[in-house]
């Protein structure tokens, strides 16, 4: 009989090992999946995990790694603050879209002027857009006690409609021969978020992600607000007793995660994506949820998890291209990662005992 | 010596890392009321679970009525003639009394016949109970009757009662004891588990005392003092809390018509509570659980807001202030629920020290935490209150109940409160830790703080309070000097028998 026994204290060692275990389990289950699809599982795993870093074309992929990891980390850091406190912002994708629209809108409004402050202003507008979009679930929750999971999630679809309308209407490139999508910001120097060091993939969004990691670490470990966030997640009643004001915390956590998601959107639209278009968003806001949990809601863990997740994206694309794996298989592979992570998570607080079951 | 009903010889039960029962032997004669005494964790529950067929012993044997007795399930135990009333009731509030009783029976008769049997049994044993009433409408004492009658319908030869009086007023306890004496007169044996030593002295013929899983003594409770039995339970000499008589000082906390509607539909609303506490004084607030104790603590700690003028602290209106603003004034509180309210279970003791100590101990500077100081404060609590733990980095949930309670109370006392409110300060705490906590509260009052102790343990309140008041359905009785109060008077302040009819035992 196998049973679970609660540990007297949560194990820190196991807590750090579970993500590694989850990655290994995902590789095993993924291999089975790829084998069933008729592909060589070892080659597939090598293509996803090894080639982008050390393979023949790694010089190209390495830059892509930071381009993908940057927004994932930036969004996941914001989400992790709320998740720590039990405030579930599932709608980062929507905040990302609105941040991008607001930021790009400000930049395009100045076109073709050339002022030094245009890009900083776009950054502020991107953050503000994300914050405002996140304030909708925040205010509905604090005023009317609605569920922030549902409201933030549904607002993603509203944001997608706005995105479509913007690319077809207000922000459409007047010189674009009627094609949907805005002007390309990469070709507008004052508003472009270009690579800071050529060939590395490092743009302002990657820098912002690193700063966010450091700030989140300081907040959670050294600041009263971070302590209140952790306390609320651990034990809401004790938090109330300790003087935490729950509504304020809801507004702060949703605002912070919305703001960072908005920033990620702005850096993406002004850099790698270049323009507002109907299919501008590619699911970073949802993948960041996986990244946040894979990183144990810990800033440094999220940094590593973001890089890993970016790797599966790039390696997955490579596997699609070279091995002909279907895109759905890669998505299933990424989904397995979260599934196994949550499954082995239980080991942090419980240990497995093999032995006879006690009556009662 | 008469033939024993139940003999227990050498019962042993080990769990990983702990021996719950080690070579336990005793015997119960027919018609005997036998007490099982011991601190929390002494092994009382494991022992009765083995008798009731819930847990199998590793070694040892039992005989019941002269034949070998090895119940594999509670069903087998009941068939042999063992019945048990648990501390926590297992009743469905939406069903009536007869339906609840039927649910616990192996082979229930039709409802009407069962209702008649319930009436018969309840009259015979002086436990008036209407089989048609909804359990949800019954008081705790009446619910316990449902459980007892459910047991009596099986005609048990041995009735096990686990802490039966913890939810009863003194008047209700009297009714229960009448019933138990009548059962005893009919030849039913009773195994009575309690830590209330005065009750055991009045009710029981014999007592077996357990400590750390072993039998450490047997005695006749009528010949022992409560103190000598407590010392046998603890294994050391108990220090009785004491302090010098002192005139109370200025009024520190003043409640004027404090009314707070309960946010929880099953909670109790506070209704127009008036009270004054002076510096140097301990006010004891008694009452049966669920009569507004949690709500009163939340209103005083600042977790539930109140109209500003309803709570005055040193003549300032503070009813609208939150917990931290009140801490700045020096009004501190320690709630009943240790894990999840007074402390965060998975957080370290250092973090839990920060939980309420941040403001008064200056553990925060400009919003940033001062971890070394927080750890220092946690270490100070651990040292001053003899908290048994490897160190402040350990999670709160790894501490035993008594040690965590010492930590929680110590955390507030070391912050030098002008007024401290505690709810159930010694609930589930072993006797030596309880004595230490009571002494600390009395020392705090002696140093000039005003102290409010909310508790369901009347002995505790009588021991440490200067004045006593009782909560009953959210109302507070007028406080009276604790010295010279009789048990009857206290019982009436607590709401008497809660409208239960007083039984006339045939």
């Amino acid at each position: 009989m196998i049973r679970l026994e609660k540990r007297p204290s949560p194990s820190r060692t196991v807590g750090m090992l579970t993500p590694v275990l989850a990655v290994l389990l995902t590789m095993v289950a993924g291999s089975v999946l790829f084998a069933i699809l008729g592909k060589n599982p070892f080659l597939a795993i090598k293509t996803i995990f090894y080639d982008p870093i050390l393979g023949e074309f790694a010089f190209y992929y390495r830059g892509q790694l930071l381009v993908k990891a940057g927004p994932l980390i930036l969004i996941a850091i914001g989400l992790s603050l709320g998740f720590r406190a039990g405030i579930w912002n599932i709608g980062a994708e929507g905040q990302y879209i609105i941040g991008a629209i607001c930021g790009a809108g400000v930049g395009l409004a100045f076109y073709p002027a050339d002022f030094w402050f245009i890009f900083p202003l776009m950054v502020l507008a991107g953050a503000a857009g994300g914050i405002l979009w996140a304030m909708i679930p925040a205010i509905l929750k604090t005023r009317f006690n609605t569920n922030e999971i549902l409201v933030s999630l549904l607002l993603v679809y509203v944001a997608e409609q706005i995105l479509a309308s913007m690319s077809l209407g207000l922000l459409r490139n007047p010189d674009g021969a009627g094609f949907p999508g805005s002007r390309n910001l990469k070709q507008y120097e004052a508003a472009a978020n270009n690579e800071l060091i050529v060939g590395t993939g490092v743009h302002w969004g990657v820098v912002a992600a690193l700063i966010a990691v450091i700030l989140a670490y300081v907040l959670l470990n050294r600041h009263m607000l971070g302590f209140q966030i952790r306390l609320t997640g651990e034990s809401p009643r004790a938090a109330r007793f300790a003087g935490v004001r729950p509504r304020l915390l809801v507004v702060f956590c949703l605002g912070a995660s919305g703001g960072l998601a908005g920033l990620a959107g702005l850096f993406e639209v002004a850099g790698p994506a270049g323009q507002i278009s109907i299919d501008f968003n590619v699911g970073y806001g949802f993948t960041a949820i996986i990244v946040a949990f894979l990183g144990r809601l810990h800033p440094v863990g999220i940094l590593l998890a973001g890089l890993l997740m970016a790797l599966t994206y790039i390696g997955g694309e490579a596997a699609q291209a070279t091995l002909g794996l279907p895109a759905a298989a890669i998505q299933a592979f990424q989904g397995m990662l979260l599934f196994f992570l949550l499954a082995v998570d239980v080991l942090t607080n419980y240990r497995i005992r093999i032995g006879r079951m006690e009556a009662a | 010596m008469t033939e024993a009903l139940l003999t227990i010889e050498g019962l042993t039960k080990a769990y990983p890392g702990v021996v719950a029962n080690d070579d336990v032997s005793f015997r119960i004669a027919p018609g005997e009321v036998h007490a099982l005494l011991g601190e929390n964790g002494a092994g009382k529950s494991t022992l009765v679970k083995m008798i009731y067929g819930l847990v199998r012993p590793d070694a040892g044997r039992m005989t019941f009525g002269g034949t070998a007795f090895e119940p594999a399930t509670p069903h087998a135990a009941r068939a042999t003639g063992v019945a048990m009333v648990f501390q926590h009731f297992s009743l469905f509030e939406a069903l009536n009394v007869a339906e609840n009783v039927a649910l616990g029976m192996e082979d229930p008769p039709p409802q009407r016949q069962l209702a008649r049997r319930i009436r018969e049994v309840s009259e015979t044993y002086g436990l008036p109970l209407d089989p048609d009433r909804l359990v949800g409408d019954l008081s705790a004492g009446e619910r316990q009757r449902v459980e007892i009658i459910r047991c009596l319908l099986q005609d048990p030869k041995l009735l096990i009662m686990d802490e039966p009086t913890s939810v009863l007023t003194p008047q209700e306890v009297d009714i229960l004891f009448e019933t138990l004496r009548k059962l005893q007169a009919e030849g039913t044996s009773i195994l009575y588990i309690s830590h209330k030593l005065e009750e055991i002295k009045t009710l029981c013929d014999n007592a077996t005392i357990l400590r750390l899983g072993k039998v450490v003594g047997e005695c006749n409770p009528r010949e022992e003092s409560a103190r000598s039995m407590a010392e046998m339970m603890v294994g050391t000499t108990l220090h009785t809390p004491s302090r010098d008589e002192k005139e109370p000082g200025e009024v520190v906390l003043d409640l004027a018509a404090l009314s707070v509607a309960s946010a929880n539909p099953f909670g109790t609303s506070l209704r127009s509570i008036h009270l004054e506490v002076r510096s140097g004084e301990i006010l004891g607030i008694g009452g049966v659980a669920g009569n507004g104790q949690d709500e009163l603590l939340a209103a005083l700690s600042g977790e539930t807001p109140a109209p500003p003028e309803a709570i005055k602290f040193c003549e300032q209106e503070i009813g609208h202030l939150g917990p931290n603003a009140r801490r700045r004034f020096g009004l501190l509180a320690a709630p009943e629920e240790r894990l999840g309210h007074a402390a965060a279970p998975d957080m370290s003791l250092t973090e839990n020290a920060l939980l309420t100590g941040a403001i008064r101990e200056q553990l925060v500077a400009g919003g940033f935490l001062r971890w070394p100081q927080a750890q220092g404060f946690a270490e100070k609590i651990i040292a001053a209150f003899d908290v048994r733990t490897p160190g402040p980095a350990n999670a709160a949930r790894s501490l035993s109940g008594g040690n965590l309670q010492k930590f929680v109370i110590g955390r507030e006392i070391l912050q030098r409160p002008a007024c401290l409110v505690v709810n159930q300060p010694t609930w589930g705490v072993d006797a030596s830790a309880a004595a230490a906590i009571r002494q600390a509260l009395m020392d705090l009052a002696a140093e000039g703080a005003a102290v409010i102790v909310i508790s369901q343990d009347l002995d505790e309140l009588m021991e440490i309070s200067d004045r006593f008041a009782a909560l009953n359905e959210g109302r507070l009785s007028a406080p009276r000097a604790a010295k010279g109060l009789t048990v009857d008077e206290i019982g009436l302040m607590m709401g008497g028998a809660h409208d239960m009819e007083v039984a006339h035992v045939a």
Side-chain angles (χ1 to χ4, degrees), chain B residues 195-196 198 241 243 282-286 405 409 422-431 433-439 441-442 452-468 482 490:
Chain B
H195 62 260
K196 294 189 180 169
E198 291 300 334
R243 70 177 157 138
I282 299 182
L283 173 70
I285 295 183
Q405 187 68 21
I409 301 274
V422 294
N423 189 6
Q424 296 275 65
T426 61
W427 177 78
V429 166
D430 60 72
I437 289 170
R438 286 177 200 147
Q439 182 66 56
L441 292 172
M442 296 175 83
I452 298 179
V453 179
I454 305 171
S455 175
Q456 283 150 52
D457 185 341
L458 289 178
D459 298 339
E460 167 172 278
L461 291 177
M462 288 303 108
E463 187 178 306
I464 66 174
S465 315
D466 298 301
R467 289 189 302 145
F468 175 87
I490 293 170

Side-chain angles (χ1 to χ4, degrees), chain A residues 82-97:
Chain A
F83 292 173
R84 281 268 184 131
I87 297 161
W88 305 102
N89 178 7
I90 305 298
E93 184 80 358
Q95 294 136 22
Y96 170 87
I97 292 172

Side-chain angles (χ1 to χ4, degrees), chain B residues 129-359:
Chain B
L129 196 59
D130 180 351
D132 298 324
R133 278 183 71 191
L134 279 187
V135 166
D137 298 335
L138 302 182
S139 72
E142 289 171 307
R143 287 177 198 211
Q144 188 181 52
R145 290 181 179 183
V146 180
E147 293 273 5
I148 294 173
I149 283 174
R150 185 193 271 176
C151 288
L152 294 184
L153 286 172
Q154 305 162 26
D155 254 331
K157 298 190 189 73
L158 174 67
L159 180 64
I160 304 173
M161 303 206 77
D162 189 1
E163 301 269 358
T165 58
S166 54
V167 293
L168 304 183
T169 64
Q171 275 77 3
E172 290 168 337
V173 170
D174 285 344
I175 300 173
L176 173 70
F177 281 13
E178 282 296 312
T179 306
L180 296 183
R181 288 206 182 89
K182 175 143 174 75
L183 278 168
Q184 180 187 15
E186 288 178 353
T188 308
S189 306
I190 295 163
L191 182 58
Y192 189 89
I193 302 168
S194 179
H195 62 260
K196 294 189 180 169
L197 300 163
E198 291 300 334
E199 282 177 8
I200 284 171
K201 274 173 67 66
T202 56
L203 185 72
C204 301
D205 308 311
N206 279 302
T208 298
I209 297 154
L210 288 178
R211 186 167 72 232
L212 301 174
K214 289 196 178 89
V215 175
V216 291
E218 299 215 5
C219 66
N220 181 341
R222 299 204 170 100
E223 292 165 3
E224 299 285 334
S225 69
R227 188 191 174 89
S228 65
M229 286 194 286
E231 287 178 357
M232 276 195 265
M233 267 162 59
V234 185
T236 55
T237 315
L238 271 184
H239 163 77
T240 311
S242 62
R243 70 177 157 138
D244 302 330
E245 293 284 321
K246 224 172 92 179
E247 275 300 299
E250 295 291 301
V251 173
V252 178
L253 187 70
D254 181 4
L255 304 191
L258 170 71
S259 295
V260 177
S262 176
N264 174 347
F266 301 104
T268 309
S269 297
L270 297 178
R271 295 169 213 197
S272 186
I273 288 182
H274 287 267
L275 76 86
E276 274 182 11
V277 207
R278 293 170 179 274
S279 79
E281 169 187 60
I282 299 182
L283 173 70
I285 295 183
V288 174
N291 274 290
Q293 286 91 338
D294 289 349
E295 288 80 2
L296 180 60
L297 184 112
L300 292 177
S301 73
E303 289 162 89
T304 340
E309 68 285 357
I311 305 176
K312 284 205 194 97
F313 188 84
C314 297
E315 311 205 330
Q316 300 210 47
E317 296 185 346
I318 60 159
H320 56 297
L321 296 179
N324 282 335
R326 294 190 194 193
R327 285 189 184 112
R328 261 182 213 109
F329 277 104
L331 172 56
L332 307 187
E336 170 185 3
E337 188 73 40
R338 290 185 281 269
L339 287 175
H341 193 181
D346 286 331
M347 286 186 148
S348 71
L349 292 179
T350 301
E351 288 170 308
N352 273 300
L354 188 63
L355 201 148
T356 67
I359 289 166

Side-chain angles (χ1 to χ4, degrees), chain A residues 143-188:
Chain A
R143 290 274 161 249
F144 305 106
N145 215 8
T146 56
N147 184 319
E148 78 278 15
I149 300 178
L150 288 175
V151 176
S152 64
L153 177 63
L154 292 178
L155 280 171
V156 172
Y157 306 106
V158 177
E160 281 178 348
Q161 295 305 313
I162 295 176
L163 176 70
S165 136
M166 286 293 165
S167 5
L168 296 170
L170 201 58
L171 294 183
R172 184 166 61 179
N173 184 358
D175 307 325
F179 281 104
S182 70
R183 280 183 203 279
N184 195 323
L185 290 163
K186 275 196 283 197
Q187 290 153 13
Y188 172 28

Side-chain angles (χ1 to χ4, degrees), chain A residues 5-10 218 221-225 227 230-231 234-235 237-238 240-243 349 358-360, chain B residues 13 54 303 323-324 327 333 335 340-341 344 346-347 351 354-356 358 364 367-369 371 395 397-398 411:
Chain A
E5 189 178 276
K6 191 156 192 179
R7 296 175 191 272
S9 281
V218 172
N221 290 288
R222 296 268 181 269
H223 200 272
M224 194 62 190
L225 186 59
F227 177 72
R230 290 192 293 128
L231 185 59
E234 291 269 348
S235 171
R237 207 160 161 224
R240 185 79 63 89
F241 178 58
N349 275 311
E358 186 64 55
Chain B
K13 176 74 203 176
L54 281 165
E303 289 162 89
N324 282 335
R327 285 189 184 112
H341 193 181
D346 286 331
M347 286 186 148
E351 288 170 308
L354 188 63
L355 201 148
T356 67
V364 178
F368 283 89
L369 305 172
W371 283 120
R397 79 164 194 234
S398 70
R411 180 178 69 187

